[in-house]
């Protein structure tokens, strides 16, 4: 995996309340593979994670969402947590940012509740996905074909269910970004 993504830039889009390990582990995997992984957020300066049942650490925002452009990145990662995607799906700029990656056929990965933002961006019609089980009805209502599997790949879209799936999620994430546009 080393240097497989050398020079690729990846956006990790989060608002306060993202499941911390769903940001830190993909970010680590991307950086180990040679990518530049940057936190993009509507938060000002720092964004706060969530660790299972309580607030986690604060992380510096690398690129404020207001100045972020899909054209500056090769791929997008959407960590889960409940508060994070619930906030992002109510943010028109975040939803448009997500949709632009699909419009340009760039790899996108979402884990756990991250699929909520995909549903709001209206990019799931006919796509095979997985997620945290409690949001499967929302994804089905958005047109997705939901399955209960560790990791699902559908034409550059990588989805997983929860933190237990991170090893498989990270491997497929790196693989899809290495392949490029889909």
């Amino acid at each position: 995996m080393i240097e497989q993504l050398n020079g690729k830039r990846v956006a990790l889009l989060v608002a306060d309340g993202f499941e911390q390990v769903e940001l830190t582990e993909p970010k680590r995997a991307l950086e180990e593979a040679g990518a530049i992984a940057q936190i993009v957020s509507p938060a000002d300066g720092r964004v706060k994670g969530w660790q299972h049942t309580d607030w986690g650490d604060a992380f510096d925002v690398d690129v404020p969402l207001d100045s972020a452009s899909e054209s500056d990145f090769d791929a997008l990662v959407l960590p889960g947590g409940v508060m994070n995607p619930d906030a992002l799906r109510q943010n028109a700029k975040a939803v448009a940012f997500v949709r632009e990656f699909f419009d340009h056929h760039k790899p996108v990965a979402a884990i756990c509740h991250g699929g909520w933002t995909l549903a709001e961006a209206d990019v799931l019609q006919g796509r095979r996905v997985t997620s945290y089980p409690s949001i499967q009805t929302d994804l089905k209502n958005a047109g997705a074909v939901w399955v209960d599997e560790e990791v699902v790949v559908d034409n550059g879209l990588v989805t997983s269910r929860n933190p237990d799936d991170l090893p498989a999620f990270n491997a497929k994430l790196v693989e899809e970004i290495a392949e490029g546009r889909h």
Side-chain angles (χ1 to χ4, degrees), residues 162-176:
N162 59 55
D164 293 339
D165 299 335
L166 279 165
F169 178 76
N170 291 342
K172 284 297 183 184
L173 166 65
V174 169
E175 180 182 320
E176 291 302 301

PDB file of all heavy atoms in Angstrom, residues 162-176:
ATOM      1  N   ASN A 162     -19.681   0.045  10.044  1.00  0.00           N
ATOM      2  CA  ASN A 162     -19.321   0.550  11.369  1.00  0.00           C
ATOM      3  C   ASN A 162     -17.808   0.447  11.571  1.00  0.00           C
ATOM      4  O   ASN A 162     -17.109  -0.082  10.699  1.00  0.00           O
ATOM      5  CB  ASN A 162     -20.081  -0.229  12.450  1.00  0.00           C
ATOM      6  CG  ASN A 162     -19.790  -1.706  12.409  1.00  0.00           C
ATOM      7  OD1 ASN A 162     -18.640  -2.127  12.464  1.00  0.00           O
ATOM      8  ND2 ASN A 162     -20.833  -2.522  12.310  1.00  0.00           N
ATOM      9  N   PRO A 163     -17.302   0.907  12.708  1.00  0.00           N
ATOM     10  CA  PRO A 163     -15.853   0.875  12.929  1.00  0.00           C
ATOM     11  C   PRO A 163     -15.223  -0.513  12.827  1.00  0.00           C
ATOM     12  O   PRO A 163     -14.042  -0.612  12.483  1.00  0.00           O
ATOM     13  CB  PRO A 163     -15.693   1.460  14.341  1.00  0.00           C
ATOM     14  CG  PRO A 163     -16.843   2.387  14.481  1.00  0.00           C
ATOM     15  CD  PRO A 163     -17.981   1.678  13.778  1.00  0.00           C
ATOM     16  N   ASP A 164     -15.968  -1.553  13.131  1.00  0.00           N
ATOM     17  CA  ASP A 164     -15.409  -2.906  13.001  1.00  0.00           C
ATOM     18  C   ASP A 164     -14.989  -3.222  11.569  1.00  0.00           C
ATOM     19  O   ASP A 164     -14.147  -4.088  11.332  1.00  0.00           O
ATOM     20  CB  ASP A 164     -16.411  -3.962  13.464  1.00  0.00           C
ATOM     21  CG  ASP A 164     -16.692  -3.884  14.959  1.00  0.00           C
ATOM     22  OD1 ASP A 164     -15.861  -3.321  15.695  1.00  0.00           O
ATOM     23  OD2 ASP A 164     -17.755  -4.378  15.375  1.00  0.00           O
ATOM     24  N   ASP A 165     -15.587  -2.533  10.603  1.00  0.00           N
ATOM     25  CA  ASP A 165     -15.314  -2.773   9.183  1.00  0.00           C
ATOM     26  C   ASP A 165     -14.155  -1.937   8.646  1.00  0.00           C
ATOM     27  O   ASP A 165     -13.832  -2.013   7.456  1.00  0.00           O
ATOM     28  CB  ASP A 165     -16.562  -2.468   8.346  1.00  0.00           C
ATOM     29  CG  ASP A 165     -17.752  -3.339   8.695  1.00  0.00           C
ATOM     30  OD1 ASP A 165     -17.552  -4.451   9.209  1.00  0.00           O
ATOM     31  OD2 ASP A 165     -18.899  -2.899   8.437  1.00  0.00           O
ATOM     32  N   LEU A 166     -13.526  -1.125   9.492  1.00  0.00           N
ATOM     33  CA  LEU A 166     -12.491  -0.205   9.013  1.00  0.00           C
ATOM     34  C   LEU A 166     -11.348  -0.856   8.251  1.00  0.00           C
ATOM     35  O   LEU A 166     -10.916  -0.298   7.230  1.00  0.00           O
ATOM     36  CB  LEU A 166     -11.957   0.657  10.159  1.00  0.00           C
ATOM     37  CG  LEU A 166     -12.846   1.856  10.498  1.00  0.00           C
ATOM     38  CD1 LEU A 166     -12.458   2.443  11.842  1.00  0.00           C
ATOM     39  CD2 LEU A 166     -12.777   2.905   9.397  1.00  0.00           C
ATOM     40  N   PRO A 167     -10.816  -2.020   8.650  1.00  0.00           N
ATOM     41  CA  PRO A 167      -9.731  -2.599   7.844  1.00  0.00           C
ATOM     42  C   PRO A 167     -10.147  -2.860   6.388  1.00  0.00           C
ATOM     43  O   PRO A 167      -9.416  -2.500   5.458  1.00  0.00           O
ATOM     44  CB  PRO A 167      -9.393  -3.895   8.585  1.00  0.00           C
ATOM     45  CG  PRO A 167      -9.751  -3.598  10.010  1.00  0.00           C
ATOM     46  CD  PRO A 167     -11.003  -2.759   9.904  1.00  0.00           C
ATOM     47  N   ALA A 168     -11.320  -3.437   6.179  1.00  0.00           N
ATOM     48  CA  ALA A 168     -11.800  -3.704   4.818  1.00  0.00           C
ATOM     49  C   ALA A 168     -12.142  -2.400   4.097  1.00  0.00           C
ATOM     50  O   ALA A 168     -11.845  -2.232   2.910  1.00  0.00           O
ATOM     51  CB  ALA A 168     -13.025  -4.626   4.863  1.00  0.00           C
ATOM     52  N   PHE A 169     -12.760  -1.464   4.815  1.00  0.00           N
ATOM     53  CA  PHE A 169     -13.121  -0.159   4.260  1.00  0.00           C
ATOM     54  C   PHE A 169     -11.870   0.568   3.772  1.00  0.00           C
ATOM     55  O   PHE A 169     -11.816   1.056   2.642  1.00  0.00           O
ATOM     56  CB  PHE A 169     -13.836   0.655   5.337  1.00  0.00           C
ATOM     57  CG  PHE A 169     -14.224   2.050   4.933  1.00  0.00           C
ATOM     58  CD1 PHE A 169     -15.307   2.276   4.105  1.00  0.00           C
ATOM     59  CD2 PHE A 169     -13.522   3.151   5.416  1.00  0.00           C
ATOM     60  CE1 PHE A 169     -15.686   3.577   3.750  1.00  0.00           C
ATOM     61  CE2 PHE A 169     -13.887   4.438   5.075  1.00  0.00           C
ATOM     62  CZ  PHE A 169     -14.975   4.652   4.233  1.00  0.00           C
ATOM     63  N   ASN A 170     -10.843   0.624   4.627  1.00  0.00           N
ATOM     64  CA  ASN A 170      -9.616   1.340   4.276  1.00  0.00           C
ATOM     65  C   ASN A 170      -8.927   0.712   3.068  1.00  0.00           C
ATOM     66  O   ASN A 170      -8.422   1.421   2.187  1.00  0.00           O
ATOM     67  CB  ASN A 170      -8.667   1.395   5.465  1.00  0.00           C
ATOM     68  CG  ASN A 170      -9.183   2.288   6.559  1.00  0.00           C
ATOM     69  OD1 ASN A 170     -10.058   3.127   6.361  1.00  0.00           O
ATOM     70  ND2 ASN A 170      -8.647   2.109   7.755  1.00  0.00           N
ATOM     71  N   ALA A 171      -8.895  -0.610   3.006  1.00  0.00           N
ATOM     72  CA  ALA A 171      -8.251  -1.284   1.872  1.00  0.00           C
ATOM     73  C   ALA A 171      -8.967  -0.955   0.568  1.00  0.00           C
ATOM     74  O   ALA A 171      -8.328  -0.646  -0.449  1.00  0.00           O
ATOM     75  CB  ALA A 171      -8.227  -2.793   2.104  1.00  0.00           C
ATOM     76  N   LYS A 172     -10.292  -1.011   0.573  1.00  0.00           N
ATOM     77  CA  LYS A 172     -11.060  -0.712  -0.648  1.00  0.00           C
ATOM     78  C   LYS A 172     -10.990   0.771  -0.993  1.00  0.00           C
ATOM     79  O   LYS A 172     -10.952   1.146  -2.164  1.00  0.00           O
ATOM     80  CB  LYS A 172     -12.519  -1.160  -0.500  1.00  0.00           C
ATOM     81  CG  LYS A 172     -12.690  -2.651  -0.626  1.00  0.00           C
ATOM     82  CD  LYS A 172     -12.281  -3.124  -2.014  1.00  0.00           C
ATOM     83  CE  LYS A 172     -12.503  -4.604  -2.198  1.00  0.00           C
ATOM     84  NZ  LYS A 172     -12.014  -5.059  -3.506  1.00  0.00           N
ATOM     85  N   LEU A 173     -10.964   1.618   0.031  1.00  0.00           N
ATOM     86  CA  LEU A 173     -10.830   3.061  -0.183  1.00  0.00           C
ATOM     87  C   LEU A 173      -9.554   3.356  -0.955  1.00  0.00           C
ATOM     88  O   LEU A 173      -9.574   4.042  -1.986  1.00  0.00           O
ATOM     89  CB  LEU A 173     -10.831   3.762   1.177  1.00  0.00           C
ATOM     90  CG  LEU A 173     -10.391   5.214   1.248  1.00  0.00           C
ATOM     91  CD1 LEU A 173     -11.349   6.091   0.484  1.00  0.00           C
ATOM     92  CD2 LEU A 173     -10.280   5.653   2.703  1.00  0.00           C
ATOM     93  N   VAL A 174      -8.438   2.829  -0.488  1.00  0.00           N
ATOM     94  CA  VAL A 174      -7.151   3.042  -1.154  1.00  0.00           C
ATOM     95  C   VAL A 174      -7.187   2.472  -2.576  1.00  0.00           C
ATOM     96  O   VAL A 174      -6.745   3.118  -3.527  1.00  0.00           O
ATOM     97  CB  VAL A 174      -5.998   2.441  -0.319  1.00  0.00           C
ATOM     98  CG1 VAL A 174      -4.699   2.422  -1.111  1.00  0.00           C
ATOM     99  CG2 VAL A 174      -5.824   3.229   0.977  1.00  0.00           C
ATOM    100  N   GLU A 175      -7.741   1.288  -2.732  1.00  0.00           N
ATOM    101  CA  GLU A 175      -7.817   0.650  -4.053  1.00  0.00           C
ATOM    102  C   GLU A 175      -8.617   1.493  -5.043  1.00  0.00           C
ATOM    103  O   GLU A 175      -8.185   1.707  -6.186  1.00  0.00           O
ATOM    104  CB  GLU A 175      -8.468  -0.730  -3.898  1.00  0.00           C
ATOM    105  CG  GLU A 175      -8.615  -1.500  -5.184  1.00  0.00           C
ATOM    106  CD  GLU A 175      -9.309  -2.844  -4.964  1.00  0.00           C
ATOM    107  OE1 GLU A 175      -9.021  -3.514  -3.955  1.00  0.00           O
ATOM    108  OE2 GLU A 175     -10.148  -3.198  -5.814  1.00  0.00           O
ATOM    109  N   GLU A 176      -9.773   1.979  -4.621  1.00  0.00           N
ATOM    110  CA  GLU A 176     -10.622   2.764  -5.530  1.00  0.00           C
ATOM    111  C   GLU A 176      -9.979   4.102  -5.892  1.00  0.00           C
ATOM    112  O   GLU A 176     -10.087   4.553  -7.031  1.00  0.00           O
ATOM    113  CB  GLU A 176     -12.008   2.982  -4.912  1.00  0.00           C
ATOM    114  CG  GLU A 176     -12.831   1.719  -4.809  1.00  0.00           C
ATOM    115  CD  GLU A 176     -13.057   1.037  -6.151  1.00  0.00           C
ATOM    116  OE1 GLU A 176     -13.634   1.659  -7.062  1.00  0.00           O
ATOM    117  OE2 GLU A 176     -12.644  -0.139  -6.297  1.00  0.00           O
TER     118      GLU A 176
END
